[in-house]
Amino acid sequence: MTPAVATASSCARCTLHAESVFRVEGMCCGEEAAILQRRLTPLTGVEDIFADIVGQRLHVKYDAALLSTHVIVEAVAETGMRAWLEHEEPLVPPSAAARGVLVLISGLALAAGLGIQALGGPAPMSVSAFVVAALAGAVFPGRRALASLRIRDLDINVLMLVAVVGAMILREWAEAGTVVFLFAIAQWLESRSMDRARAAIRSLMSLTPDVARVRTDEHEETQPVEGLGLGTILIIRPGEKIPLDGVVVLGRSDVNQAPITGESLPIDKGPGDDVFAGTINGHGAMEVSVTRRRRDTTLARIIHLVETAQAQRAPAQQFIDRFARWYTPGVIVLAVLVATVPPLTMGMSFETWFYRALVLLVVACPCALVISTPVSIVSALAGAARRGVLVKGGIHLERLAAVRAMALDKTGTLTRASLAVTDVIAAAGSSEAEVLGSASAVEMRSEHPIAAAIVRESRGRHLSFTASSDVRALPGLGAQGLVDGQMVLCGNARLFRERGLLGPTAEALADRITASGASPVLIARDSVVLGVIGVADQERDVAADAIEHLHREGIRPIVMLTGDHESAARPIAARLGLDGVRAGLLPHEKVAAIQALRREHGVVAMVGDGVNDAPALAVADVGIAMGVIGSDAALETADVALMTDELSKLAYAIRLSRATVRNIRANIAISLVLKVAFVALAVTGLATLWMAVVADTGASIIVIANAMRLLRHD
Ligand code: ADP
Ligand code: MG
């Protein structure tokens, strides 16, 4: 125990929640994760520990009043692994070279021993060569074995050493040398393939440049991105990667946003448009004013979210953890029985059965099984992130695979986010300019797509208006605000009925708009109806296609949930081939509609815009927000976030989730079948020690390779 823990434990009230992320060298597999968990959990002040095996990271939530990071680092060091705070990573990873040399010595000694044996050389010479091979190869596993014994744990290293010592007792010198050498090679191969997986995943999050070209008065100079503040003017040349999020102030260009959104077509950017760190400038030069520091860029958030997503355990993982907990001790008990029962009760050869027990020991480590789920999930999440689909954890991926029915919001989801004003009709005593002007004053402060359409129309007509104060959004109904001391109300017929303003005038105005197929937005000032604005939305070009793909995946029913009027919603739903429409819904009615769908059809996904549809997204089994790039709220709340509003990504997400679940099942099956087969082969005496070693690591490598296929899944 470390002294810091003992002294601090007297202070129980002053909790100071903290979370630190450590990189851990030597944590390659579930075994080591379990060791760390067991070593750290008893530390006073530790609240939660999560080991991200694939990322080689350890997330520790703790009470900073009771525990400091260096106590954690020391505790990790006691297990034989090394940890450091993520941002303090050392430049040279230690011990890799020493390890390689020892493996080489082991291999050469083994070859020498086998050679001497084959040539009929003296036995003491070949035996000593085998012993050298065993000793050189056992240095690293031996260190690990000691560490795990110190915390009373039996990991693969301990089991392997016991097996090797046993082989030596049986005078199987060649076998002992071979097994150690193979084990060393196998572990090296396994950590190599894991490293490759890590590198592939990390490279997806293609990094942003470290330096940027900055405009200082009259000058241009290169400065490190890290220190750049908001409002700094960056000069982006053609073909360069954009270093920070910002807004274009000068110039025009096409920007390839694929690194963040997965969208293949470049987007036109001009003054006033947002650009994002990590995206690639096309043919034009631009000047961009920085809107976010390096740590807050959209890309940084995405990377952070993917990393935390990896840290969440999927349900399949929990099953495996439970299984692994009894598997290893179970096989060890079996090994003891195999070594003792047949010789003692049936008088069979002790040597034969002891050897079989040793093989069983090697088979007792379920390493491939333990990594089977995390590697699949991590590569699926990383592959999805590259295509602009952010899934917030394995659990959402598994639920997505089970989705039966889907509900989609209309405005901004099935239809284009930009609507058009079709009509402006003034009531007697008012004018079109007055109707649009007062509406725009309020709508300027609203984020609804309808609001943007109205404001755009007013700007197009060169009307002048000032933003109103005290604007309140009335979800599913409209918005209200104060303009020159008068209350202006904009919204649908339902809102006007609620406020007692839906007299014959208002109704007649609304009907004229509805008859044309558009949706009416009524405007009133101080309870006097000024007129109505007709807005129409247009379904997205790809929407019908996307729905068809979802149907082909067996998602049915697919229904539209909208707050809009039935007469505007029906024709769109019919053209898109939806299975149902629920119109005129308030946000809480959308929630009820989702619950009804779930009762009737099972797992339901809801697709919406993340801001207006937040309650419905939250209540669905999977909440999918669209077009979230640039909207932090939506990015944080949804279970699945689509960076752009490409509806085609929905079917991709479903396919990927199902492929992931299949991949996990295959991985579990591969590792279980191999283990069970080897337990049987070991008991019947058909398997040798070296075969068991090869099977053990072979399974891990197969599992990793299989999981990596998800990175490229389309
Ligand atoms: P959808 O479900 O189609 O996305 P919402 O629930 O966001 O629609 O809104 C439902 C209805 O409420 C809209 O069709 C419109 O009539 C009205 N509404 C909502 N917000 C506004 C606003 N800012 N201005 C005018 N009308 C609005
Ligand atoms: Mg909406």
Side-chain angles (χ1 to χ4, degrees), residues 409 411 448 590 609 612-613:
D409 168 58
T411 319
H448 202 275
K590 286 189 181 178
D609 66 10
N612 293 308
D613 301 312

Side-chain angles (χ1 to χ4, degrees), residues 477 491-499 502 506-507 510 520-522 565:
L477 296 168
N492 51 24
R494 184 167 183 165
L495 173 66
F496 275 61
R497 191 175 310 116
E498 270 177 21
R499 300 287 172 98
L502 197 65
E507 216 160 336
V521 177
L522 289 158
H565 199 272

Side-chain angles (χ1 to χ4, degrees), residues 316-439:
Q317 179 75 42
Q318 286 154 10
F319 154 75
I320 287 172
D321 287 350
R322 275 201 303 277
F323 177 83
R325 216 171 297 148
W326 63 259
Y327 174 79
T328 305
V331 177
I332 291 174
V333 169
L334 183 65
V336 172
L337 293 179
V338 163
T340 52
V341 174
L344 291 181
T345 59
M346 290 173 273
M348 293 186 179
S349 146
F350 177 72
E351 294 207 347
T352 308
W353 289 93
F354 184 62
Y355 183 80
R356 291 179 187 182
L358 293 181
V359 179
L360 269 179
L361 282 187
V362 175
V363 183
C365 177
C367 195
L369 187 64
V370 173
I371 59 170
S372 58
T373 313
V375 281
S376 299
I377 286 183
V378 168
S379 45
L381 295 184
R386 180 166 58 177
R387 289 166 180 80
V389 178
L390 202 60
V391 184
K392 303 288 196 52
I395 182 160
H396 303 301
L397 211 51
E398 285 190 17
R399 283 214 198 116
L400 204 52
V403 163
R404 292 274 140 270
M406 194 177 272
L408 295 107
D409 168 58
K410 178 179 73 86
T411 319
T413 303
L414 285 169
T415 63
R416 293 208 190 120
S418 80
L419 289 80
V421 168
T422 55
D423 247 326
V424 182
I425 308 173
S430 175
S431 70
E432 284 189 22
E434 204 175 353
V435 171
L436 267 176
S438 358

Side-chain angles (χ1 to χ4, degrees), residues 416-656:
R416 293 208 190 120
S418 80
L419 289 80
V421 168
T422 55
D423 247 326
V424 182
I425 308 173
S430 175
S431 70
E432 284 189 22
E434 204 175 353
V435 171
L436 267 176
S438 358
S440 299
V442 174
E443 299 286 28
M444 258 185 81
R445 292 279 176 259
S446 159
E447 5 188 7
H448 202 275
I450 290 181
I454 292 176
V455 173
R456 209 175 319 119
E457 177 72 16
S458 300
R459 294 234 165 94
R461 297 191 185 192
H462 304 291
L463 296 176
S464 65
F465 48 90
T466 46
S468 85
S469 55
D470 264 352
V471 172
R472 226 154 53 100
L474 310 164
L477 296 168
Q480 66 178 41
L482 282 176
V483 181
D484 302 328
Q486 294 176 304
M487 172 65 70
V488 171
L489 191 65
C490 330
N492 51 24
R494 184 167 183 165
L495 173 66
F496 275 61
R497 191 175 310 116
E498 270 177 21
R499 300 287 172 98
L501 294 175
L502 197 65
T505 340
E507 216 160 336
L509 287 170
D511 285 345
R512 278 172 63 187
I513 300 290
T514 322
S516 73
S519 309
V521 177
L522 289 158
I523 319 295
R525 189 172 56 206
D526 270 351
S527 303
V528 177
V529 175
L530 294 180
V532 67
I533 302 173
V535 290
D537 48 6
Q538 227 186 345
E539 58 264 33
R540 296 180 189 275
D541 302 330
V542 294
D545 233 30
I547 301 297
E548 196 194 318
H549 277 103
L550 286 168
H551 272 147
R552 235 182 273 158
E553 296 298 325
I555 308 287
R556 200 177 284 272
I558 304 176
V559 298
M560 176 199 281
L561 301 184
T562 178
D564 202 354
H565 199 272
E566 180 108 32
S567 58
R570 283 240 172 256
I572 295 181
R575 281 197 295 273
L576 295 183
L578 293 173
D579 305 309
V581 191
R582 300 280 314 272
L585 300 178
L586 291 180
H588 72 268
E589 294 168 325
K590 286 189 181 178
V591 167
I594 301 254
Q595 283 161 338
L597 272 174
R598 182 195 286 135
R599 270 193 304 277
E600 213 178 317
H601 303 282
V603 183
V604 176
M606 163 80 197
V607 188
D609 66 10
V611 181
N612 293 308
D613 301 312
L617 292 180
V619 77
D621 297 291
V622 186
I624 306 176
M626 285 217 328
V628 299
I629 191 165
S631 156
D632 294 340
L635 197 64
E636 303 286 342
T637 50
D639 302 327
V640 177
L642 308 185
M643 289 301 136
T644 55
D645 29 41
E646 287 169 284
L647 283 164
S648 59
K649 291 282 162 66
L650 291 174
Y652 161 72
I654 299 270
R655 281 196 308 272
L656 177 72

